[in-house]
Amino acid sequence: IASMIGYGSTAILIILRSILVPSFVAATQNVNVLYASIYTGAYMAVSSNLRYQLLSGILEPKIIDRLKGYPILHALSLFVIRTANGLLGSILAITGMRWLGLQKLK
């Protein structure tokens, strides 16, 4: 439901921008809100959950927590690992949408 609200809101904002700024041309084609929402929900349930469980259940307690004696190094390693996890998630989500034809460039 949340992704449907997000995709729907974005579609409405793009339509409004096209009306208010006639010279605006979107870089992507319009997305099917229902299919994109279903994909995003499934992606979040599987990939994001799996990556988070691996990160917080294995990587952080087994490897990164050994650095607790070095607070700056510990904080820096957490920042790098969590940022990389977020970037990987974004790349995988967008790549999956493109493979399934849910996001296309014009």
Side-chain angles (χ1 to χ4, degrees):
I1 295 173
S3 60
M4 190 171 285
I5 292 170
Y7 284 115
S9 300
T10 301
I12 290 169
L13 289 172
I14 290 172
I15 291 168
L16 285 174
R17 185 172 182 185
S18 298
I19 292 169
L20 296 173
V21 183
S23 62
F24 171 73
V25 178
T28 58
Q29 294 178 0
N30 292 337
V31 213
N32 182 312
V33 174
L34 178 62
Y35 292 158
S37 300
I38 291 170
Y39 169 80
T40 301
Y43 174 81
M44 293 299 288
V46 177
S47 177
S48 292
N49 188 28
L50 181 62
R51 285 183 298 104
Y52 177 77
Q53 295 300 328
L54 289 171
L55 182 66
S56 66
I58 296 173
L59 193 61
E60 286 184 15
K62 304 290 183 197
I63 298 172
I64 297 176
D65 283 353
R66 294 180 182 179
L67 301 173
K68 281 191 174 178
Y70 309 95
I72 293 175
L73 190 56
H74 182 256
L76 180 63
S77 62
L78 280 175
F79 173 78
V80 168
I81 293 296
R82 290 178 181 177
T83 300
N85 182 40
L87 290 173
L88 175 64
S90 297
I91 290 168
L92 291 174
I94 292 169
T95 302
M97 288 187 83
R98 287 185 179 161
W99 280 352
L100 294 174
L102 296 173
Q103 185 182 59
K104 298 177 185 175
L105 295 175
K106 287 186 177 178

